Amino acid sequence: MAADELMPTHKSHRNPKSGPTMKKKSENDKKKRGVPDNKQQNPRAFSFTSADKAKILKLHAAEKEQKRIHLPTIDRNYGDPPPFVVVVQGPPGVGKSLVIKSLVKHFTHQNVPEVRGPITIVQGKKNRIQFVECPNDINGMVDCAKVADLAILLIDGSYGFEMETFEFLNIMQVHGFPKVMGVLTHLDKFNDVKKLRKTKKRLKQRFSTEIYKGAKLFYLSGLIHGKYSKLEVDHLSQFISLSLIKFHPLKWRTSHPYVLADRMEDVTPPEKIQMDKKCDRNVTLYGYLRGCNLKKGTKVHIAGVGDYSLAGVTALPDPCPLPSAAKKKGLRDREKLFYAPMSGIGDLLYDKDAVYININDHLVQYSKNDDEIGDPTNKGKGRDVGEDLVKSLQNTKYSVDEKLGKTFINLFGKNIISTSSERKLEEESSESGDDEAEDCVMDVESSDGETKQKNEIHGGLLRRKAIFKDEGGESDAAMGSDQDDVEGEEDVESDGDESEDGEDDSASDSQELDEDDVEEAGDRVLGNISKWKEPLKEKGTKKNLNLMQIVYGASGSSATTEENDDEDFFKPKGEQNKNLGGAMNVGYVNADDCSRFINYGNLKNWKEKEDCEIIRNRFTTGDWSEAALRNQNSVPGDEGGDFEDLEAENVESGTNQNEDSEAVERRHQKLALRAEFDANNPTYSEAKELGYVDKLKEELETRKQMNMLELNDLDEDTRIEVEGFRTGTYLRLEIHNVPCEMVEFFDPCHPVLVGGIGYGEDNVGYMQARLKKHRWHKKVLKTRDPIIVSIGWRRYQTVPVYAIEDRNDRHRMLKYTPEHMHCLATFWGPLVPPNTGFVAFQNLSSNQAGFRITATSVVLEYNHQAHIAKKIKLVGHPCKIKKKTAFIKDMFTSDLEIARFEGSSVRTVSGIRGQVKKAGKNMLDDNAQEGIARCTFEDQIKMSDIVFLKAWPTVEVPQFYNPLTTALQPRERTWTGMRTFWELRRQHNIPIPVNKDSLYKPIERKIKKFNPLVISKKLQEELPFTSKPKNKPGRKRPSLDVRRAVVMEPGERKALAIVQQLKLMNKVKMIKRKAKEQEKRKEYEAEKAKKEAVFKKRNREERRERYRTEDKQKNKKMRRNQD
Amino acid sequence: MGKTTYKRLKGSQSFRQRLLLSTLSSTPIIIDEIRADDMIPGLLRHEMSLLRLFDTVSDDCVVEVNETGTRLKYKPGIIMGGKNLVHNCALTRSMGYYLEPLLLLGLFGKKPLSIRLRGVTDDPKDPSVDTFRNASLHILKRFGVPSEGLDLKIEARGVAPEGGGEVLLTVPNVQTLTAVQWVEEGMVKRIRGWTFSARVSSDFEHSMRFAARGIFNNLLPDVHIFNDHKSGPQAGKSPGYGITLVAETIEGCYISADTTVSCGRTDETGEVDEEKQERKPAEDTGVEIASWLLQEIEKGGVVDSTHQGLLFILCALCQQDVSKVRVGPLSPYGVETLRNLKEFLGVTFSFRPDPSTATVVLTCVGSGLVNLSRKLS
C-alpha cells in the first residue's frame, strides 16, 4: 500500500477516437462480433457464371464431404476405460526417461528414481495414464507401437531427426496410427538464436509432412537443475490430456483383447526350480485389460515368447482406481495415485489373494506402536488374529524386497490377512479374505474366479434371512401358474424355474433392504475366520439350481478327457433329464442327432372350443389388448414398475454404486426408450431427414445402450460368464509352462505384451499380401529371402514369394520386388484376418545405419494353397523333319518328361505353331538318345528353326515360419534366424553364380558369301533372247557412242555458262557461311566451358561440405555407440 | 503352435453341430467312442456323407476315421463355398439333416455357396425342405443375411427309402451377423401350408388339407394350404406324401410343423406289413400336424422348438453385441446346442424365465465371429 501511494499516478488509457489505429481496431472488433463485411473487392468474382462449373463445384463439394465421413464404429467399452498408454519414444540419449519423470512429477508430485516398466497414474477425474518408455531396439519399438494410444516422439533438436523416429512412425502407421506428438529436446545446445529458430521451423515442417499438416511439435528448451522447466512440462501435460479425449478406434485392437503387463511374478513351486533350474515356469502377469472383453479360455500370444492358453484369469481390484465421482473440481492430493510395480516404487502390490504392503526398513521399527494409529475406522472386536499374524510377521527379521515377497506367497499366502493398515484397502482386503477361506474349504482352482465365490457367500448369508419371504413368493408363483398348467410337462418344468427365479428376486430385494447389515456382517466375518466358514460349508452342500446351471452344469466342459471331469459332466445332465421330463437321452453320449423333439402322444384335442380359447389371443382374431399385455410383461424395462427391480439388482451386483451411476442408468434407459419410440413411429423419426451416416450412428448408439442395459441387468457373476472380463479391469493372468528364459532374461524396461488370439488365428496357412518395398530401403527384396514380419501381435520370420497379377488373373512369380510398385507376397505363417497390416524387416540389429524397415504391407486373404506360377521357356532344335512333323531334340531330357508335356503347344521363332505329340524314339533309329519329342506343326519347319515351349509351372511357397523369441534371450543380443542369400554368400565367401549363357556378348555376324549365280544350260535355252546371257567378245576400241564429239548451240552454251556461274556463286556463299558458323560455335563452346567450370567448382564444394558433415555424423554415432 | 492341439470329444451326439462349430471356430477335434458299444459301431452312413459334404464345401480339411469308425479326427479347412457343387446325401437321413449345418457354413464361406443336394427331401425325423424354405431362411434374414441369393429350390421330391429328390441351395456370404433383440412373438396373422405327394394319389393331399383346415377354422380365417403333386422324375423314387404348416406372426416370427409319410417298401420284408398296418389315414396326419402347430404356438417363443438350435447358434455367431431372444420351453436339442456353443465358442447364455407366458428369454453376447476367408478387394 505504502509503495502504491509513493508511486506517481498514471494517466488512464484513452481509446483512440480517430486515425488509422482506431480504424483497424474497429474493423477487428467487427470481425470478432461476426458482423459481415459487406464491402467486397470484386463483387463479380463470386457471382454465378456457368451452370457446368457450378455443377462441378457442387460435385466436388459433395465428394469432399463424403471423404470426410468415416463409417461409425460401435464402442463396446462399457465400464471405466483402461488407462491410456502414452509411449515415449526417441533415439538413445534424447531424454525419454526424464520426460516421463517430469510428467509423473507434474501429475502426482512423486519422484521416480528410475523408469522401469509401465507407470500408471491418475491424471484426472476420469482419466488415467500409463507411461511406457519405448526401448531402443526394434522389437521393443514394434511392441510399443502396437499398444500405444498416444506416442510422444522425442527428437534431439540439436541433432535433427534420426532413423528411429521414422522407423517408429512407419511401424505405427502399419499397426493402426495412434495419436502422435513430437517433442524437441536439447534445444539449449544452440547458441545462435537465429539458427535455433531456423532449425525449429525446419524440423516442424519435416514433422508435419511426415504425419499430417499441423501435427503438434513441442519444444523443451532446456534443463534447469536436471529437470525440464515446469512451465513447459505443464504445457506438455495439458496437451497430453487434451489429445487423450477422443480416439478413433483401431480395428485390430477393438477386436482383440490385450494386456500390457505392468508386473510379472514367477509362481513356480520353488521345489521344482530347485530340482531343475531350467524347468518350465508358471508365471503370472498383471495388467489392465484393453481392446475388447476377454473371455475365459481365450488363447494368448505373449510377444517374443509364444502362444499359451491362459491357465487362470482373475479380476483384481484396481490398484490405481479413479476417484469417486463426487462433484468437485480437480483431484485431491490423495487421489493422485500412482502405480509402478516394476519400478519398485509403489508401496502396494496386489495379488489375487493378498495385498502386500511394502514398508521401508525404518518404518518396520515403528510399526508396532503404529498400528493402533494406523486405522481407527476399522477397529472391530475380533481383529486379533490378523493383528497377531502381522505382529508375528514383524517380529521375524526380513527385508522387504521383491524376492522375499515372492516367497511369502508360498509360505504365508494362506494365512495372512492383510487388514493391518491402509484404510483404502478395506474392501479389497475383505474380498481377499473371502477368497482365502474358499481356498481352505473347497480347494477350488484359481481360474474359477474369486468373485463367484464371494457372491455365493453373500448368497449364503442372504439365504438364511430370506427364507420366510421366500416361501411366500414361491407359493405365489405356483398359484399363478397352476391355472394354466394342464398337463404339459414342459410347463411344469418352466414353472419350477420360475419359482427359483422368484426366490432369487426376493432374495435380492431383501438384500437391498438391509445391505448395511450385510456389510456389517461382512466386516465381522473378516475378523473371525471360523465363523464365516460355516455358511460357506452350508453353501457347498446346498446348490442353488437355476436354469443356467441346469443347462451348463455346475462346472466344466465335456471336452476334457479326464475321468473326474466326465463325472461332473454327467451329473447335471441327469438332473436335466429329470427336469425336462421326457427329455429322453440328452445325457447319452451317443444320442441321436436330431433337431426335432416330437412326441405326438400328448397332443391336446384342438378341435375343442375351450382348448382353443387358451391360445385365442395368440391370433390376430383374438383380443389385441390382452396380447399386447403378454408382450409387455415379458419385456423387462418397458414399464416403470420394472425399473425398481433393475436398480435393486444393480445394488446387488455393484458394491460402490451411487447416485451418479443411477443417473447415468436413467439416462440410458431414457435413450433406449426414445429409440424404441422412434422405431415404433417411423413417421416421427423420418421427419428429421437424417443422413445415412447419422442414422447409422444413432443405430449404433441405441445398440450400445441396449447392450449396457441388458448387461447391467445381469449379476456380476453371470455377466463375466456371458461377456467376459470387461475392458479396464485389472487382471491377473496365470500362464503355465513358459520357458525359464522368459523369467531369467526378464527385463522390465521392455514391454510385455499379452494379446488375445481370435478364432482361427492360431492356425497356420498361406497368406497373400499386397506388399511394397519401403522407399527408403536401398535394395529390392529377393524372392525366398527370409524377412521378419510383425503382424497382428506376432513377430516371426518367414519366407515370402513375390508375385504380380497378370491380366488373365495369373499370379506370376517375380524374382525381385518392383522398385516403386506394389506386388503380391505370399508367405506361410499363423493366419490373421484380411486387412491386417504388417511391416517387414530384414535385420533387427541396432547398429546398422540404414533404414531397417524393408517393406510395408497389408494382408488380402488367406488360403490353404498358393497359386503362383512362373514362366519357363524350353528351347529345342529339330533333328529330323518329315513334312509337317518334326523331331525336336534338346527340349527334354527324358521320355518321361515328354510324357508330362504331351499335347502342350510349341512354336518356332517365325511363329509356326505346333503341338508336342509323343516321344519319338521308336520312329527314329534304335540308338537315338532319349528326350527326342515328335511334334507336329501347321507348316513345315526348317532345320535352322528354333522351337520354343512356354509353360507356367506352379511355384511352391516354402512352409517356413520361425517365431521371434526375443524375450527368451538377453535383450541386447540381436536375434538371428534364417539368413538371406546375400548374408550366406558373404559369410561363406561364395561368389554369385553366373550363367555364362546369360551374359551379354558382342554379336558377331559373319558376312555371308554367296556363290555366283549359276543358270543351267537347259534353262538358258528356254529363256527369251533378251533374258539370255549373251557372250559378247570384249572391244578394243570404245564404241562410237563414246567417241563422238558434242558441239553446243550458242544458246545452249550461254545457258551452261550461266549455270556454272550460279554454282560457283553458291559454292562461295556456302564456304562463307560455314566459316561463320564455325566461329559462332567456337564462341558458344567457350562460354559453355566457362559455365561448366563454374558449376563443377560449386559442385565440388558442395560435395566436400556433405562429406564433411557425413564424416562428422559418423564419428558422432561411433562415439555414441562406444558410450 | 507347430503341433495342432485337438479338442477331445466323446460319442456321436450332436455330431453336426460339433463339426459345424469346429469348422467355424477352426478348432480341430477328435471324437472318440462313437457308438463303441452299439450293435452297429462307428459312424453311420449319413454321418460319413455329412463329412463328405464338409469336405466338398471346404478346402484343405483333414478327416481321419479309424477302421471301425469309432474314432474321428477332423481338422477343419477353409470354407470355400462356390458354384455348381453337387452332393449325394446318404439316404438314411433326409435333407434337413444336411441343410441345418450347411446353411450356416455357407454364410461364412469365401464365395457364395450354390450346391445341389440329392437324396431324401422329406422324412418325419428332420425338418422338411418346405420348412427350410418357408421358416428357417426367414430366421436367417433376421440376422442380417441378405435375402438375395438366399434360396432353396426344390427340383424333385424324394421320400425315404429310395430318395431321388433334388434341391438347390444358394447361400450368400456375410461379413458378420448382426445381433437381434427378438422377444416379441406377436400374434399369428396367417397360416400357410404346403402338402406334397409323390408317386401316390393326390387324394392324400386333399384329405390332409381338409383335416388341417378344420382345426384352424376356430381360430383364424387366413389359412391357405398349397398342394404340390409330383409325378414322373420329379417325384423321386419312392411313394409318399407330407405336409408342412407355417404360422406367421405380425412380428415376423415363423412357427412351423411338418411331417412326411412314406408309403415305400423297405428292404426287410417283415417291416413292410407292420408299417402298412400302422399307417394312419391321411386325415389323421393332417390333424396331428395342425395340432402340433397349435401346440408350438401355445408354447410361445419366436421360433418353434425345432429351430431353437439354429437360433441359438445364430445368436452366438453375432457381433459382440447383446442378443436377446425368447423361446418356449428349451428342447433337448436346444440345450445340447447351448452346451456346444459354450464348448466351442465360449458363448454363455443367461436365462430369464418368464413365468406369465411360460417362456424363457435368453441373452447372450455374440462371439464376434468374422468371415475371415473372404477376400479383401
Side-chain angles (χ1 to χ4, degrees), chain A residues 74 76 78 254 292 295 299 307 484 490-491 493-494 497-498 501 547-548 550-552 557-561 563 566 569 573 576 580 583 586 588-600 602-604 606-609 612 614-621 623-624 627 630-631 633-636 649 703 706-707 710-711 713-714 718 721-723 759-760 762-764 768 794 830 833-835 859-864 961, chain B residues 1 7-16 25-26 33-36 38 59-60 78 93 97 100 110 124-128 179 181 183-189 191 215 218-221 250 258-259 287-289 291-292 294-295 297-298 300 305-306 319-322 324 326 329-330 332-333 335-336 338-339 342-343 345-358 360 363-367 369 372-376:
Chain A
I74 188 166
R76 295 198 175 91
Y78 305 126
T254 47
C292 66
K295 276 185 180 167
K299 269 186 138 188
D307 284 11
D484 55 38
E490 287 82 28
D491 287 5
E493 173 254 321
S494 65
D497 294 328
E498 155 224 320
D501 198 62
L547 206 50
M548 196 150 176
I550 291 169
V551 171
Y552 291 123
S557 58
S558 57
T560 44
T561 40
E563 284 305 304
D566 275 347
F569 177 53
K573 280 185 175 172
Q576 148 84 29
L580 276 174
V586 173
Y588 177 48
V589 286
N590 285 327
D592 205 6
D593 185 10
C594 177
S595 63
R596 187 173 300 176
F597 168 54
I598 288 185
N599 37 358
Y600 292 122
N602 50 11
L603 279 178
K604 287 182 199 175
W606 290 100
K607 279 178 187 159
E608 303 292 323
K609 277 266 180 191
C612 286
I614 297 168
I615 58 165
R616 165 68 69 194
N617 290 338
R618 298 293 316 282
F619 288 82
T620 42
T621 49
D623 189 351
W624 281 60
R630 169 189 164 92
N631 279 331
N633 273 339
S634 50
V635 183
E649 282 195 28
R703 170 132 300 210
M706 288 267 197
N707 288 352
E710 290 298 332
L711 290 172
D713 225 14
L714 307 170
T718 334
E721 191 79 4
V722 168
E723 69 156 354
Y759 298 113
D762 47 349
N763 293 351
V764 281
Q768 195 186 66
R794 301 173 201 274
N835 215 358
V859 174
L860 295 180
E861 79 172 317
Y862 60 65
N863 219 331
H864 68 284
Y961 93 95
Chain B
M1 155 148 305
K7 195 186 265 287
R8 291 180 167 275
L9 302 161
K10 255 183 196 174
S12 69
Q13 59 165 343
S14 52
F15 185 72
R16 290 180 293 168
S25 65
S26 23
E33 297 174 32
I34 302 170
R35 301 202 183 83
D38 277 22
D59 245 351
D60 200 26
I78 296 164
R93 291 293 285 267
Y97 178 82
E100 277 179 7
K110 194 170 244 182
K125 211 170 181 184
D126 291 302
S128 70
Q181 298 274 327
V183 284
E184 291 194 25
E185 306 129 318
M187 286 173 286
V188 176
K189 64 174 177 188
I191 291 175
I215 299 285
N218 287 334
L219 294 161
L220 198 71
I250 51 172
D258 66 83
T259 196
V287 168
E288 205 174 74
I289 291 308
S291 309
W292 183 253
L294 293 184
Q295 193 107 325
I297 292 168
E298 189 201 8
S305 58
T306 312
Q319 285 177 314
Q320 283 154 329
D321 290 320
V322 174
K324 195 174 176 190
R326 175 198 296 274
L330 292 176
Y333 184 72
V335 171
E336 202 52 55
L338 292 173
R339 286 182 193 161
K342 188 176 183 186
E343 181 73 55
L345 297 175
V347 174
T348 317
F349 285 71
S350 89
F351 306 85
R352 179 196 283 263
D354 186 357
S356 63
T357 53
V360 192
T363 317
C364 81
V365 175
S367 62
L369 190 78
L372 299 177
S373 47
R374 268 218 322 199
K375 194 182 173 182
L376 183 74

Side-chain angles (χ1 to χ4, degrees), chain A residues 476-744:
Chain A
D476 248 25
M479 290 265 277
S481 59
D482 268 353
Q483 289 160 354
D484 55 38
D485 174 18
V486 188
E487 52 185 311
E489 277 170 302
E490 287 82 28
D491 287 5
V492 174
E493 173 254 321
S494 65
D495 281 350
D497 294 328
E498 155 224 320
S499 64
E500 293 283 357
D501 198 62
E503 197 176 296
D504 278 356
D505 276 1
S506 54
S508 64
D509 281 353
S510 72
Q511 193 207 11
E512 182 204 8
L513 289 173
D514 35 39
E515 200 192 28
D516 297 355
D517 290 13
V518 177
E519 268 189 15
E520 269 179 32
D523 282 357
R524 253 184 284 127
V525 151
L526 253 185
N528 207 331
I529 301 171
S530 57
K531 253 191 191 174
W532 58 275
K533 268 181 186 173
E534 286 166 17
L536 205 91
K537 274 182 183 166
E538 196 180 300
K539 190 67 222 169
T541 51
K542 252 193 177 178
K543 268 185 186 167
N544 185 11
L545 269 179
N546 62 13
L547 206 50
M548 196 150 176
Q549 278 169 339
I550 291 169
V551 171
Y552 291 123
S555 77
S557 58
S558 57
T560 44
T561 40
E562 276 89 61
E563 284 305 304
N564 49 1
D565 262 18
D566 275 347
E567 278 167 20
D568 273 352
F569 177 53
F570 281 120
K571 236 184 260 165
K573 280 185 175 172
E575 283 160 3
Q576 148 84 29
N577 257 344
K578 190 177 67 198
N579 274 291
L580 276 174
M584 346 175 279
N585 37 15
V586 173
Y588 177 48
V589 286
N590 285 327
D592 205 6
D593 185 10
C594 177
S595 63
R596 187 173 300 176
F597 168 54
I598 288 185
N599 37 358
Y600 292 122
N602 50 11
L603 279 178
K604 287 182 199 175
N605 185 8
W606 290 100
K607 279 178 187 159
E608 303 292 323
K609 277 266 180 191
E610 56 266 28
D611 276 340
C612 286
E613 286 313 308
I614 297 168
I615 58 165
R616 165 68 69 194
N617 290 338
R618 298 293 316 282
F619 288 82
T620 42
T621 49
D623 189 351
W624 281 60
S625 57
E626 264 185 49
L629 257 179
R630 169 189 164 92
N631 279 331
Q632 238 172 37
N633 273 339
S634 50
V635 183
D638 259 15
E639 305 167 0
D642 275 291
F643 188 38
E644 258 93 54
D645 196 6
L646 189 81
E647 251 183 297
E649 282 195 28
N650 276 342
V651 170
E652 179 197 31
S653 58
T655 46
N656 50 356
Q657 296 268 355
N658 45 31
E659 286 100 301
D660 216 338
S661 66
E662 271 170 29
V664 168
E665 205 70 52
R666 214 166 286 142
R667 209 189 64 224
H668 291 166
Q669 209 137 26
K670 258 188 191 168
L671 267 172
L673 273 178
R674 205 181 73 189
E676 219 158 88
F677 176 75
D678 279 355
N680 290 338
N681 307 317
T683 47
Y684 179 75
S685 55
E686 265 170 35
K688 275 184 276 179
E689 276 293 334
L690 284 174
Y692 174 72
V693 175
D694 293 317
K695 263 183 199 163
L696 217 59
K697 261 184 197 164
E698 207 159 82
E699 208 172 273
L700 289 181
E701 184 58 28
T702 16
R703 170 132 300 210
K704 189 182 171 185
Q705 301 302 343
M706 288 267 197
N707 288 352
M708 282 167 87
L709 219 116
E710 290 298 332
L711 290 172
N712 289 338
D713 225 14
L714 307 170
D715 61 290
E716 187 73 16
D717 196 10
T718 334
R719 194 180 58 69
I720 287 178
E721 191 79 4
V722 168
E723 69 156 354
F725 292 99
R726 277 188 175 176
T727 51
T729 36
Y730 194 71
L731 289 185
R732 171 190 190 269
L733 310 173
E734 190 162 349
I735 293 154
H736 288 173
N737 298 330
V738 295
C740 63
E741 284 87 356
M742 185 189 172
V743 179
E744 196 179 327

Side-chain angles (χ1 to χ4, degrees), chain A residues 266-281:
Chain A
D266 183 8
V267 292
T268 329
E271 313 91 65
K272 216 175 143 191
I273 300 174
Q274 270 182 354
M275 296 271 282
D276 179 15
K277 267 195 169 176
K278 294 274 179 191
C279 68
D280 282 353
R281 306 295 172 88

Side-chain angles (χ1 to χ4, degrees), chain A residues 232-515:
Chain A
E232 282 168 346
V233 172
D234 188 37
H235 282 311
L236 183 60
S237 67
Q238 272 182 27
F239 266 90
I240 288 174
S241 40
L242 268 180
S243 61
L244 285 173
I245 290 170
K246 207 176 174 189
F247 276 108
H248 189 71
L250 306 174
K251 197 169 176 219
W252 173 266
R253 290 195 207 168
T254 47
S255 56
H256 292 82
Y258 64 98
V259 169
L260 176 64
D262 59 7
R263 186 177 152 213
M264 192 184 93
E265 302 286 347
D266 183 8
V267 292
T268 329
E271 313 91 65
K272 216 175 143 191
I273 300 174
Q274 270 182 354
M275 296 271 282
D276 179 15
K277 267 195 169 176
K278 294 274 179 191
C279 68
D280 282 353
R281 306 295 172 88
N282 301 346
V283 294
T284 52
L285 294 164
Y286 300 78
Y288 289 97
L289 179 65
R290 296 189 170 87
C292 66
N293 291 352
L294 176 79
K295 276 185 180 167
K296 276 174 188 166
T298 317
K299 269 186 138 188
V300 292
H301 177 83
I302 308 173
V305 183
D307 284 11
Y308 293 94
S309 50
L310 292 172
V313 191
T314 328
L316 297 184
D318 202 329
C320 202
L322 284 173
S324 60
K327 278 181 186 124
K328 62 176 186 310
K329 207 178 167 193
L331 285 177
R332 303 283 165 276
D333 266 355
R334 53 189 282 267
E335 287 164 353
K336 288 180 181 171
L337 292 175
F338 173 82
Y339 186 67
M342 278 188 195
S343 300
I345 16 172
D347 291 336
L348 300 172
L349 272 185
Y350 294 82
D351 206 338
K352 188 183 77 172
D353 46 2
V355 179
Y356 300 101
I357 303 154
N358 198 353
I359 305 168
N360 286 339
D361 282 348
H362 64 281
L363 286 173
V364 174
Q365 322 277 314
Y366 300 121
S367 62
K368 260 180 216 170
N369 316 330
D370 231 306
D371 51 10
E372 263 107 60
I373 314 154
D375 45 359
T377 50
N378 202 13
K379 273 215 126 188
K381 290 174 269 179
R383 280 185 56 254
D384 303 337
V385 184
E387 235 170 66
D388 282 347
L389 281 172
V390 173
K391 276 186 178 172
S392 67
L393 275 179
Q394 284 168 355
N395 285 335
T396 59
K397 280 169 192 164
Y398 70 97
S399 65
V400 197
D401 62 338
E402 281 192 11
K403 255 192 180 172
L404 265 173
K406 267 183 239 166
T407 55
F408 281 149
I409 300 174
N410 303 316
L411 290 174
F412 304 109
K414 305 274 190 241
N415 303 326
I416 305 167
I417 297 176
S418 48
T419 50
S420 53
S421 60
E422 286 296 326
R423 252 176 301 172
K424 277 192 254 170
L425 300 178
E426 247 178 67
E427 291 162 17
E428 284 90 36
S429 57
S430 80
E431 268 180 30
S432 62
D434 288 355
D435 206 61
E436 276 156 40
E438 163 229 320
D439 275 5
C440 314
V441 183
M442 299 173 80
D443 201 28
V444 176
E445 243 309 320
S446 60
S447 60
D448 276 349
E450 129 243 41
T451 43
K452 186 178 171 183
Q453 297 305 330
K454 181 190 102 192
N455 223 357
E456 281 186 353
I457 292 161
H458 278 253
L461 284 171
L462 286 168
R463 203 181 177 85
R464 247 181 326 178
K465 285 184 181 172
I467 280 170
F468 17 146
K469 281 194 174 184
D470 193 7
E471 284 163 359
E474 199 169 22
S475 61
D476 248 25
M479 290 265 277
S481 59
D482 268 353
Q483 289 160 354
D484 55 38
D485 174 18
V486 188
E487 52 185 311
E489 277 170 302
E490 287 82 28
D491 287 5
V492 174
E493 173 254 321
S494 65
D495 281 350
D497 294 328
E498 155 224 320
S499 64
E500 293 283 357
D501 198 62
E503 197 176 296
D504 278 356
D505 276 1
S506 54
S508 64
D509 281 353
S510 72
Q511 193 207 11
E512 182 204 8
L513 289 173
D514 35 39
E515 200 192 28

